[in-house]
Amino acid sequence: MSNLNKIIEEIEEVEQSANGQIDQQILNLDQLEHWRIIFLGRNGEISKLMKYLSSVSDENKRIIGPKINNLKKSLSNKYNLTQKKIDQRNNAVTEFDFTLPGRPVNLGNYHPTTLIIREICTAFSEMGFQIIEGQEIETEKYNFDLLNIPNDHPARDQWDTIWLQTENTNVKHLLRTHTSPMQARVMEKNNPPLRVIIPGKCYRYEATDATHEWQFHQIEGLAVDKNISFSELKGTLFEMARKLFGTDQKVRFRCDFFPFVEPGVDMSIEWNGKWIEILGAGMVHPKVLEGVGYNPKEYSGFAFGLGPERISMLKNKISDIRNFHLNDLRFLNQFTI
Ligand code: FA5
């Protein structure tokens, strides 16, 4: 190998070694200084290469001279760049201000449905009602039969039902269409007097729109005792409306039909100059009392079922019930405790 080739090879080796070290091994300024001395120092590798210039021909000088100069420039650049990077890293650590307040943690809120259910339940528990919960998967017997809605009765159409396919084909299961099946379940397990409130989810095979969801909530109320009359029903619901909407709240009762109450009513509240229906109610039908083994001559009671989302919509000026399930934080963040 000629002298020239040997020198070129050496230049390349120095380049490789210098770049390899600075890219992979240099972590701090001390190491960088050590690297500088080895490659760019007075007796470093670049200086050693420079010395070849005095021993080669002018022609070869013109070949290796620029190569050595370029290498020196590129290593000097790399040195400056690495020094900057290390400085920045060091400053980033030393400039961290430990006295700064921490980043705020996003705290969750209660869902508006939870808030309104709690508010309504509190109103009733202040009137002596006990709060209980029930199951969302029901049988035909409790959702319909024990509520005086026999098979093939047209009243069933009022509750578009999501039926379930289960292994037991003798018992028909469904997603409860209302919370009323809990009336029979509570009465079967308890003796009067009783006053209960039952919040929970309901499901109907319905097209959704601004006031209808296929999954929504209801709050059922039931009171059974001796001598319970329609006055107690009216008084209780009137008091609830005053607690929820303010002491001036006007309410209106009108006749309505539900097979499990007699007489049946719906209650509306006066809202922005209009009557808005908020619940169905009535005196528990004697057949329902009989069905759970109560003597209708001895006991009477009232029941009602209301939709908490609809009440929240009125109170909070929500124009579309579907907002409750959209999971949109712009909507949900507006509700705080
Ligand atoms: C019933 O479901 C009866 N079980 C209520 C009842 C109980 C009457 C006890 C008498 C005695 P209704 O289908 O009207 O009735 O529903 C009651 C309330 O649930 C309605 O006033 C409304 O607030 C709410 N609701 C009904 N369907 C929907 C729906 N698709 N989306 C949102 N809320 C609904």
Side-chain angles (χ1 to χ4, degrees):
M1 196 191 283
S2 75
N3 203 21
L4 175 68
N5 285 345
K6 254 182 162 176
I7 297 173
I8 291 176
E9 208 173 79
E10 215 179 310
I11 294 172
E12 283 166 1
E13 274 169 17
V14 170
E15 184 178 13
Q16 254 184 23
S17 157
N19 281 327
Q21 281 187 35
I22 201 161
D23 287 343
Q24 284 157 27
Q25 293 165 20
I26 307 296
L27 296 171
N28 54 43
L29 290 176
D30 283 347
Q31 288 170 346
L32 183 64
E33 178 59 8
H34 187 64
W35 179 90
R36 191 194 63 78
I37 293 167
I38 292 175
F39 293 102
L40 296 168
R42 203 186 305 163
N43 299 315
E45 296 297 327
I46 295 287
S47 298
K48 277 186 210 159
L49 292 174
M50 292 283 197
K51 284 188 186 137
Y52 288 128
L53 291 175
S54 54
S55 59
V56 293
S57 65
D58 283 352
E59 195 186 339
N60 287 350
K61 223 183 255 173
R62 275 195 293 277
I63 298 171
I64 59 169
K67 278 190 189 296
I68 298 170
N69 266 334
N70 284 343
L71 178 59
K72 190 178 175 186
K73 250 191 229 156
S74 121
L75 293 188
S76 298
N77 279 345
K78 209 140 200 188
Y79 171 84
N80 290 334
L81 218 78
T82 312
Q83 192 179 36
K84 241 190 218 159
K85 265 195 213 157
I86 295 173
D87 277 348
Q88 270 170 3
R89 220 177 27 225
N90 288 348
N91 288 343
V93 173
T94 49
E95 279 172 15
F96 183 82
D97 184 351
F98 290 93
T99 63
L100 284 174
R103 287 202 192 127
V105 177
N106 280 335
L107 283 182
N109 279 335
Y110 283 113
H111 191 276
T113 309
T114 307
L115 292 175
I116 192 70
I117 288 176
R118 288 190 176 186
E119 195 180 340
I120 297 168
C121 287
T122 305
F124 281 107
S125 64
E126 282 168 4
M127 290 188 265
F129 282 76
Q130 199 182 338
I131 301 162
I132 57 168
E133 283 182 308
Q135 63 229 53
E136 289 169 31
I137 293 182
E138 264 300 355
T139 58
E140 185 181 26
K141 178 180 160 193
Y142 284 92
N143 199 82
F144 293 121
D145 300 341
L146 285 174
L147 290 171
N148 194 29
I149 318 172
N151 205 355
D152 298 329
H153 192 288
R156 278 204 187 191
D157 300 343
Q158 209 174 323
W159 291 279
D160 302 293
T161 308
I162 299 173
W163 294 96
L164 300 174
Q165 278 183 339
T166 49
E167 280 173 16
N168 182 352
T169 45
N170 295 326
V171 182
K172 281 174 88 178
H173 286 87
L174 49 87
L175 292 179
R176 67 175 172 194
T177 57
H178 50 178
T179 41
S180 298
M182 281 305 289
Q183 289 184 27
R185 290 194 181 274
V186 170
M187 287 192 278
E188 274 180 345
K189 285 210 180 111
N190 301 279
N191 289 322
L194 46 94
R195 265 181 294 180
V196 289
I197 200 92
I198 307 136
K201 287 195 192 90
C202 304
Y203 305 83
R204 290 188 194 175
Y205 189 61
E206 276 188 355
T208 60
D209 62 26
T211 52
H212 292 84
E213 262 290 4
W214 70 272
Q215 180 205 296
F216 57 97
H217 290 78
Q218 278 191 350
I219 299 183
E220 191 80 9
L222 175 71
V224 184
D225 202 351
K226 288 180 178 158
N227 300 321
I228 289 218
S229 72
F230 199 79
S231 308
E232 270 89 37
L233 165 63
K234 278 177 83 174
T236 307
L237 294 179
F238 187 31
E239 184 57 19
M240 174 209 69
R242 283 158 50 95
K243 280 178 188 286
L244 291 180
F245 296 103
T247 46
D248 298 336
Q249 184 59 54
K250 285 189 187 148
V251 303
R252 182 183 75 177
F253 291 93
R254 285 196 311 186
C255 287
D256 200 352
F257 173 71
F258 299 97
F260 34 96
V261 287
E262 181 58 37
V265 289
D266 64 51
M267 186 179 102
S268 305
I269 59 164
E270 194 180 36
W271 201 252
N272 294 335
K274 279 196 224 151
W275 288 105
I276 311 267
E277 184 189 316
I278 60 163
L279 58 85
M283 300 304 290
V284 182
H285 199 290
K287 280 198 181 160
V288 175
L289 295 173
E290 264 168 13
V292 294
Y294 284 10
N295 181 357
K297 294 210 172 89
E298 197 182 350
Y299 291 107
S300 56
F302 65 78
F304 56 87
L306 57 89
E309 283 98 346
R310 296 250 182 103
I311 291 186
S312 177
M313 287 170 77
L314 289 177
K315 280 180 69 113
N316 299 304
K317 298 193 178 86
I318 299 165
S319 55
D320 196 317
I321 196 170
R322 288 167 291 199
N323 281 315
F324 286 92
H325 286 153
L326 276 186
N327 249 353
D328 186 336
L329 286 179
R330 288 169 303 179
F331 172 73
L332 297 174
N333 279 336
Q334 295 178 54
F335 299 87
T336 45
I337 312 163

